[in-house]
Amino acid sequence: MTSPDALRLIPGAAEAIRILNERSTKAIVVTNQRGIALGRMSEADYAAVNARLLAELASEGAWLDAVLHCPHQAGTCDCRKPAPGMLERAAREVPGATLEGAAIVGDSAADVETGRRLGVTTVRLGKPASGEPSADHRAPNLLEAVRWLTGVPSG
Ligand SMILES: [Zn+2]
């Protein structure tokens, strides 16, 4: 996505983040943005999309403790998922964040692989392809994932 106007929060996403906020659990986004390396978008384009994300969450009373992105081409860095660099950086730089007890929730095999490399709990959103590394849990969306992780019931 290169335009903030294309950004839509998935239903329940803000509620999911709010559950984490209310429990003082760190909510951190780690995102591969190879489009920057490929010249499909600039750092400024990405920053504008991210600012819109934060504003949309704020309008629903939710916030992120950090957003980290990898702007690099595949195979050129230690932070593009499934490399663990962004999670390690989050644990190092975000006050109160730790890998111990952490979980990664994502909609790709790379997200699951990232978590497995660090030994954190993994939750795969959506339907995995055959042959993917299996996650600790599967959920249809972020809200259900957070409910499973936190033990907060539905409704
Ligand atoms: Zn990177």
Side-chain angles (χ1 to χ4, degrees), residues 100-120:
E100 194 176 334
I104 184 168
V105 179
D107 62 0
S108 79
D111 297 319
V112 173
E113 180 58 26
T114 304
R116 287 165 59 107
R117 288 187 190 184
L118 289 167
V120 308

Side-chain angles (χ1 to χ4, degrees), residues 3 19 61 83-84 125 146:
S3 164
I19 288 171
L125 302 183
V146 166

Side-chain angles (χ1 to χ4, degrees), residues 80-147:
R80 180 176 169 78
K81 296 176 288 182
M86 286 190 285
L87 266 64
E88 291 171 335
R89 197 178 134 210
R92 210 165 49 234
E93 296 180 1
V94 179
T98 167
L99 290 174
E100 194 176 334
I104 184 168
V105 179
D107 62 0
S108 79
D111 297 319
V112 173
E113 180 58 26
T114 304
R116 287 165 59 107
R117 288 187 190 184
L118 289 167
V120 308
T121 300
T122 54
V123 182
R124 172 70 157 88
L125 302 183
K127 192 172 175 355
S130 63
E132 266 189 43
S134 62
D136 295 304
H137 186 68
R138 278 168 54 186
N141 55 53
L142 183 62
L143 181 55
E144 291 306 320
V146 166
R147 283 174 173 157

